[in-house]
Amino acid sequence: MDPKPAPTGPRAARKRQAVVRAARDLFLREGFGVGMDAIAAEAGVSKVTVYNHFGSKEALFTAVVAGALDEPLHGDAEGPDLSRLPDAEDLRAALTEAGRAWARAVREDEEGRALRTLVATELHRFPELGRAWRAHGPAGHHPAVADALRALADRGRLAIPDLEVAVLQLYALLVFPQMVFEQYGTELTEELSERLVVDGVEMFLRRYTP
């Protein structure tokens, strides 16, 4: 039997956002072992509502972490807005500027860092998390990146034969170094981060420009 579709509409979106926020807070405080009853209570919704939106705690945890990965990419005052890339007159300059803001946001996001550490810790206790994460796929984990690259390909500005690979490559070139260094208790210098972003954009565009 196919899973029941998640609720839609503005009211459902608000409830989903409340559940994700509550789950994020509780996972960070108590780990993956926190109960769905506690998450529902924290969000001010019923447990049935939580399951209607996410189906399982593994799916909810995956949504929390995926949301944290893409959170810097929605165009606040300081962060990049990848949705503007398809309309950029100078794609190289726009992607470089977005990469700078993205890398800076990742370095400064202490809660996101804590979530990534939590994933690494909890995978040993709850291997089903790894299975849920793999089933979601790279494009599902990084929708803002996937949507921007898909739009650029649809307009003929990039030629992307494999979207999942392109999503991972862009992450690997621009932000994964920031994450790897932080796991070892250090961080990249501003100067090295700048070189990685500039060269990373150049490498990405050389690969995917038609």
Side-chain angles (χ1 to χ4, degrees), residues 86-120:
D87 295 319
E89 184 174 343
D90 185 335
L91 181 56
R92 177 176 278 97
L95 186 54
T96 301
E97 185 56 35
R100 289 189 185 109
W102 191 5
R104 182 173 61 251
V106 167
R107 289 198 306 273
E108 295 174 355
D109 182 9
E110 294 184 5
E111 194 171 271
R113 184 181 302 118
L115 277 169
R116 292 191 293 274
T117 300
L118 178 62
V119 172

Side-chain angles (χ1 to χ4, degrees), residues 9-107:
R11 185 166 178 267
R14 288 193 296 272
K15 286 189 175 184
R16 180 183 177 89
Q17 185 177 25
V19 171
V20 170
R21 181 69 257 181
R24 182 167 170 164
D25 291 344
L26 286 171
F27 285 142
L28 283 171
R29 292 204 305 264
E30 302 180 26
F32 183 68
V34 68
M36 292 289 260
D37 286 326
I39 293 171
E42 182 87 0
V45 301
S46 70
K47 188 165 71 169
V48 171
T49 295
V50 177
Y51 278 105
N52 283 344
H53 279 277
F54 296 98
S56 69
K57 189 162 62 168
E58 291 80 17
L60 175 54
F61 190 85
T62 300
V64 167
V65 178
L69 287 171
D70 252 14
E71 199 169 68
L73 303 177
H74 295 289
D76 62 22
E78 300 296 330
D81 186 356
L82 298 189
S83 68
R84 298 179 183 177
L85 289 178
D87 295 319
E89 184 174 343
D90 185 335
L91 181 56
R92 177 176 278 97
L95 186 54
T96 301
E97 185 56 35
R100 289 189 185 109
W102 191 5
R104 182 173 61 251
V106 167
R107 289 198 306 273

Side-chain angles (χ1 to χ4, degrees), residues 32-204:
F32 183 68
V34 68
M36 292 289 260
D37 286 326
I39 293 171
E42 182 87 0
V45 301
S46 70
K47 188 165 71 169
V48 171
T49 295
V50 177
Y51 278 105
N52 283 344
H53 279 277
F54 296 98
S56 69
K57 189 162 62 168
E58 291 80 17
L60 175 54
F61 190 85
T62 300
V64 167
V65 178
L69 287 171
D70 252 14
E71 199 169 68
L73 303 177
H74 295 289
D76 62 22
E78 300 296 330
D81 186 356
L82 298 189
S83 68
R84 298 179 183 177
L85 289 178
D87 295 319
E89 184 174 343
D90 185 335
L91 181 56
R92 177 176 278 97
L95 186 54
T96 301
E97 185 56 35
R100 289 189 185 109
W102 191 5
R104 182 173 61 251
V106 167
R107 289 198 306 273
E108 295 174 355
D109 182 9
E110 294 184 5
E111 194 171 271
R113 184 181 302 118
L115 277 169
R116 292 191 293 274
T117 300
L118 178 62
V119 172
T121 301
E122 297 289 52
L123 279 175
H124 298 289
R125 298 173 56 212
F126 303 100
E128 61 269 25
L129 285 177
R131 292 191 289 271
W133 187 260
R134 287 192 298 273
H136 208 42
H141 293 310
H142 313 292
V145 181
D147 289 348
L149 295 184
R150 189 181 293 111
L152 286 163
D154 288 345
R155 297 191 189 188
R157 302 195 69 179
L158 295 178
I160 300 177
D162 189 328
L163 181 64
E164 289 194 336
V165 168
V167 167
L168 289 176
Q169 286 174 335
L170 191 61
Y171 256 93
L173 290 166
L174 301 186
V175 297
F176 281 170
Q178 324 287 336
M179 297 179 182
V180 170
F181 271 65
E182 79 184 17
Q183 294 300 112
Y184 291 95
T186 185
E187 61 184 42
L188 298 176
T189 65
E190 291 283 348
E191 189 270 339
L192 180 53
S193 179
E194 171 70 7
R195 284 157 49 202
L196 282 167
V197 168
V198 172
D199 284 356
V201 168
E202 183 67 24
M203 292 170 69
F204 189 83

